Amino acid sequence: MATQDDDLLTGPVADPETEPTPAELAHARRFAELVDKTLSGRTPPAMSADDRALLEVATVIRATHGSLELAPGKQRSVVEDALRQAIGASPASSGSVAPIARARARRWAPWAVAGGATLVAAAAVAMLWLRAPGGGELRSARRAAVPEEWTSRPADALVGPIARDHAGDASARLDTIFADRLDGFRSLRLARGGKP
Amino acid sequence: MASEPATTVELELSEEQRLVEEAQQGNLDAMRPILERYASPLYGTVILPRLGDAVSAEDVLRDTLATAVEKIRRFTWQGKSIYPWLRQIAINKVYDVHRQSKRSRRLADAMVHEIAVESDPASHADAQLIADQERRAHRGKIDQTLQQLQDRYRLAIELRLVQELSREDCANRLGVTIGTFDVLLFRAVRAFRKHFGERAELPGKEPT
């Protein structure tokens, strides 16, 4: 299906003497104003696609007849932006341009830091993984080196099976366990000469 | 036997070579004089005539120069100016813009075709020669299309877009009202685009 753009851009063009329709008259006036603005260097950023296509024609014709040059100020700005873009810096930033090697180093610095951190994390995980069995053995050896009464241990041997009719004597059982633990604490304390 | 004194052009070329080598060794600032020298011909004869939009052309120029700086280490000095290398980068960038554009742009497609430029290998003034040759080639295409238009359409384009007279002056020269001149120019540009687009479909596409 032909669109309005197709008609405008590729459809037949009337002869110069043909009377324009009101729609064409309005469009022609709008286009003339766009050309006005473009000639004075104020091309509006927003316009219809077909207007833009026609304006491109006007610009190409002007460019090939040497009417369009890059202003010296604009040229300096573009060159400066390009140099900064090449080294990955913001165009708005100021200061002199860094040499390529330094600039590249600056560009890759965040990736290098991230990569280094990842390597360190991976090494830590690997170390934990490899040392886990050895650590368990060490802990068993240390546990075996102290008397049993100094270690945490089950209280089953002290309390024994709890008969149903003694189920409410919990405080007595706690007293028994506390006395046993206190005894172990005293032994440990006295073994060090009373020092904590 | 005493050697002949170097010409100005040769000195310019040797200076360009020195700057390129300095840039290839890592001194980015060495590229600045080269970019400043060739920014204008790249914009006026390579990029803008192929795009038709000043804002896009500036963006492409900026990308072209940035790419040249980034890839300067890949450039091999062959005793000629660096301009043809820059020009090729610019043309590739223009192709990228056209590929990204969804709608039909037959006029721009026509201008994007590579214009064969051959400079005298013995000459050191490659950049200026190529730019002049390219400008003449573009202008020849435009003039050829203008000749196919009806007289009043051709005149409307020449007065308004080439001579850049005001709408009022153009209307006076053609003996019509400003409103009528607006319609003439509108139709003239449409007709130009239509003729130029038809001509553009004849030659083969530029290999990418």
Side-chain angles (χ1 to χ4, degrees):
Chain A
M1 190 180 74
T3 65
Q4 194 175 1
D5 283 358
D6 292 334
D7 290 343
L8 180 73
L9 298 178
T10 61
V13 180
D15 287 335
E17 289 76 23
T18 305
E19 197 67 23
T21 64
E24 187 186 24
L25 205 57
H27 201 156
R29 182 188 177 92
R30 193 171 70 229
F31 179 68
E33 287 167 356
L34 279 176
V35 172
D36 264 345
K37 288 177 182 171
T38 301
L39 288 179
S40 58
R42 295 178 293 114
T43 307
M47 66 184 83
S48 69
D50 44 342
D51 279 343
R52 187 175 294 283
L54 293 179
L55 206 55
E56 284 176 357
V57 174
T59 304
V60 166
I61 293 170
R62 293 174 62 214
T64 53
H65 284 81
S67 307
L68 290 173
E69 297 289 337
L70 200 57
K74 178 67 75 174
Q75 176 179 309
R76 276 194 298 276
S77 158
V78 168
V79 168
E80 190 65 28
D81 285 354
L83 285 166
R84 294 187 186 285
Q85 184 177 326
I87 63 167
S90 163
S93 62
S94 59
S96 62
V97 177
I100 288 175
R102 198 191 316 159
R104 284 183 179 156
R106 193 185 305 160
R107 189 190 304 174
W108 286 102
W111 295 102
V113 170
T118 305
L119 282 175
V120 169
V125 168
M127 191 174 292
L128 286 173
W129 178 266
L130 292 172
R131 292 190 58 180
E137 290 170 5
L138 185 61
R139 278 193 297 274
S140 300
R142 281 179 181 167
R143 193 181 300 139
V146 296
E148 188 180 0
E149 63 268 23
W150 291 4
T151 65
S152 176
R153 57 198 182 278
D156 293 349
L158 292 173
V159 177
I162 301 173
R164 183 176 296 271
D165 54 342
H166 288 93
D169 299 339
S171 64
R173 291 193 287 274
L174 286 174
D175 288 345
T176 303
I177 296 169
F178 181 79
D180 178 74
R181 300 306 187 241
L182 185 61
D183 187 46
F185 170 76
R186 283 175 178 158
S187 299
L188 178 62
R189 190 72 173 267
L190 292 174
R192 292 179 182 169
K195 294 178 183 177
Chain B
M1 188 176 78
S3 62
E4 294 181 3
T7 67
T8 306
V9 173
E10 285 170 337
L11 281 176
E12 285 178 3
L13 196 63
S14 65
E15 174 68 3
E16 190 174 304
Q17 182 178 10
R18 184 187 69 75
L19 292 171
V20 167
E21 287 172 353
E22 204 174 314
Q24 287 176 326
Q25 289 165 6
N27 180 10
L28 182 62
D29 274 328
M31 285 294 283
R32 190 187 303 273
I34 294 176
L35 303 186
E36 287 175 347
R37 179 179 179 186
Y38 294 132
S40 190
L42 284 172
Y43 176 85
T45 65
V46 179
I47 301 171
L48 186 57
R50 288 174 167 85
L51 283 179
D53 178 60
V55 176
S56 300
E58 280 176 23
D59 290 342
V60 169
L61 174 65
R62 188 178 295 109
D63 283 349
T64 298
L65 302 184
T67 299
V69 174
E70 286 172 355
K71 297 186 175 178
I72 188 62
R73 288 171 192 271
R74 300 186 194 174
F75 174 72
T76 306
W77 186 264
Q78 294 177 325
K80 293 192 293 185
S81 169
I82 195 175
Y83 181 76
W85 185 68
L86 296 174
R87 177 179 173 275
Q88 192 55 53
I89 293 174
I91 288 174
N92 291 343
K93 298 282 182 190
V94 171
Y95 274 120
D96 290 343
V97 170
H98 282 289
R99 270 199 293 266
Q100 289 165 6
S101 176
K102 298 289 182 190
R103 68 190 173 85
S104 169
R105 302 170 68 172
R106 293 200 297 177
L107 174 100
D109 288 347
M111 296 302 283
V112 85
H113 286 299
E114 177 74 70
I115 292 175
V117 286
E118 295 177 4
S119 58
D120 178 3
S123 170
H124 296 295
D126 292 317
Q128 193 59 46
L129 281 176
I130 291 171
D132 289 346
Q133 193 173 348
E134 193 154 27
R135 186 177 285 113
R136 281 197 301 274
H138 283 314
R139 191 164 176 166
K141 280 181 163 184
I142 297 293
D143 289 345
Q144 202 173 340
T145 305
L146 282 174
Q147 292 305 316
Q148 296 177 340
L149 303 183
Q150 298 197 36
D151 288 346
R152 284 170 77 79
Y153 287 161
R154 183 171 63 252
L155 201 53
I157 287 178
E158 286 175 354
L159 292 174
R160 187 73 179 111
L161 301 179
V162 179
Q163 297 181 31
E164 296 190 4
L165 299 180
S166 68
R167 287 157 75 193
E168 189 177 8
D169 288 345
C170 293
N172 287 338
R173 293 278 288 269
L174 289 174
V176 296
T177 64
I178 292 180
T180 303
F181 176 75
D182 288 346
V183 173
L184 278 177
L185 182 67
F186 181 61
R187 290 178 181 174
V189 173
R190 285 183 59 208
F192 183 96
R193 189 181 189 282
K194 194 161 179 285
H195 282 287
F196 203 91
E198 284 166 359
R199 275 171 34 77
E201 286 173 356
L202 297 177
K205 278 281 185 185
E206 171 69 10
T208 57

